[in-house]
Amino acid sequence: MVIVDDEDFHVPEDHPRAESIKIREQLIEGFKEGFVAVAGLIAHGRGEAFDYILGEKTHHFAEKAEKAAVATLILAKNPVISVNGNVAALVPYEIVQLSKLLKAKLEVNLFYRTKKREEAIKKVLETAGAEKVLGVGESASATIPELSHPRRKVDPEGILIADVVMVPLEDGDRTIALRKLEKQVITIDLNPLSRTAQEANITIVNNITRTIPEMIQITQNIINTKKKREELQKILKTYNNKEILSMATKTINEHLTKLTKT
Ligand code: PTJ
């Protein structure tokens, strides 16, 4: 197998898609360092395609879902943010900052679980400032039913007892299994048609690279303005995930229709 030696590759700053290529490089780096799965690279390509179609910006429906997600995480008793290879590659510092602001635990939970990847992701998060990382090695000693080994392994201090779990860039099976356990599931997924997007309680159809910084802003704003619990509950009362998914799909449709007009 020939692997292109790209040691000397630098993203040309004047490239019209320099930002997107730089983000792609983060995934490639993560893969070389052994914590992004091969399938993580494929998943990223799928995300890029949806982001392109959606105009690579945060839409109103995503903003609404982000606010609902932050409100849910603040109101939760035991919130947990699940981290996989792609999340660790794309937003390591931001996810740690968000978890601290929300007082949410961080748990490594992988589709392609290997000891080496778990440890590597833990190290990435610790380098980014995390004090405690759950779900690594022996600490992932509990299991969630409905899933086949080893995807079912969770931390008894984390996802097992969580009431709210945020699972960004996730596969559908785990979302369904967590919902069956009556946990509230928040996801970030650029594909509004995916099983995860369809099954979660709150779906943020936006790129994770924009979403997490925006959620940090929203959380800081709630903290600074000392919003009451009732105000957060009010946000959730009017929130309808089916409507959000429908708006996202409509936006894709409208965007493509506009592009096909001659
Ligand atoms: O690190 P592991 O072992 O847990 O594996 C991670 C992957 C992502 C490989 C695994 O969870 C997986 O197979 O996920 P899927 O089923 O490919 O789903 C990932 C979803 O995330 C897809 O619907 C993508 O469109 C979406 N996605 C990819 N990149 C982004 C994204 N959504 C938001 N922001 C992105 N940057």
Side-chain angles (χ1 to χ4, degrees):
M1 183 171 56
V2 179
I3 298 173
V4 177
D5 179 9
D6 58 0
E7 283 298 300
D8 295 326
F9 176 77
H10 295 288
V11 180
E13 286 301 331
D14 60 348
H15 193 287
R17 302 218 27 95
E19 272 319 299
S20 174
I21 299 172
K22 277 186 203 162
I23 292 171
R24 194 186 298 169
E25 285 299 309
Q26 283 174 237
L27 259 295
I28 296 171
E29 271 312 304
F31 173 70
K32 285 186 192 161
E33 285 171 30
F35 65 87
V36 169
V38 184
L41 301 176
I42 300 169
H44 184 73
R46 205 153 60 243
E48 272 184 345
F50 275 99
D51 207 17
Y52 209 94
I53 294 170
L54 279 159
E56 295 175 312
K57 62 176 190 185
T58 301
H59 289 272
H60 178 60
F61 52 78
E63 215 174 282
K64 232 175 150 175
E66 286 168 11
K67 283 186 184 148
V70 169
T72 304
L73 286 157
I74 292 177
L75 291 170
K77 279 202 185 88
N78 263 313
V80 173
I81 300 175
S82 176
V83 180
N84 65 15
N86 288 44
V87 175
L90 292 172
V91 283
Y93 289 91
E94 296 85 346
I95 209 86
V96 171
Q97 192 188 347
L98 183 66
S99 76
K100 285 184 179 173
L101 280 172
L102 290 167
K103 297 183 178 60
K105 293 170 188 164
L106 286 171
E107 177 163 344
V108 177
N109 195 258
L110 303 179
F111 188 86
Y112 302 97
R113 194 185 264 278
T114 67
K115 205 166 164 9
K116 194 177 149 221
R117 291 191 61 222
E118 284 170 33
E119 294 286 354
I121 292 170
K122 183 179 181 208
K123 214 164 139 200
V124 169
L125 294 175
E126 284 173 347
T127 306
E131 278 140 33
K132 195 167 181 184
V133 179
L134 302 175
V136 178
E138 297 302 307
S139 75
S141 60
T143 56
I144 48 173
E146 316 274 346
L147 286 178
S148 55
H149 183 82
R151 294 182 301 137
R152 60 191 349 217
K153 282 176 154 186
V154 292
D155 197 307
E157 269 188 61
I159 291 177
L160 188 75
I161 56 161
D163 51 346
V164 176
V165 191
M166 181 153 95
V167 284
L169 284 58
E170 182 58 73
D171 88 294
D173 269 15
R174 199 153 28 207
T175 302
I176 295 166
L178 292 171
R179 292 261 353 234
K180 279 190 182 156
L181 293 172
E182 296 189 358
K183 297 179 193 299
Q184 289 202 68
V185 179
I186 298 165
T187 195
I188 302 165
D189 194 330
L190 276 158
N191 177 6
L193 310 172
S194 80
R195 281 198 313 147
T196 307
Q198 296 285 329
E199 297 293 337
N201 298 82
I202 297 175
T203 307
I204 302 165
V205 184
N206 199 6
N207 199 315
I208 191 168
T209 56
R210 288 188 296 273
T211 304
I212 304 299
E214 285 163 6
M215 285 178 75
I216 290 172
Q217 281 289 317
I218 295 166
T219 311
Q220 270 165 344
N221 183 39
I222 289 174
I223 296 169
N224 293 343
T225 57
K226 298 190 171 91
K227 272 206 173 27
K228 295 200 177 77
R229 289 182 74 80
E230 297 78 60
E231 288 177 79
L232 301 179
Q233 278 153 353
K234 214 166 132 192
I235 296 176
L236 299 177
K237 255 197 183 141
T238 54
Y239 183 81
N240 180 339
N241 208 47
K242 287 274 167 271
E243 218 172 81
I244 296 290
L245 290 170
S246 158
M247 281 194 262
T249 313
K250 255 191 216 149
T251 303
I252 289 177
N253 198 10
E254 278 164 14
H255 198 182
L256 291 176
T257 308
K258 214 155 84 190
L259 290 174
T260 50
K261 276 197 181 128
T262 50

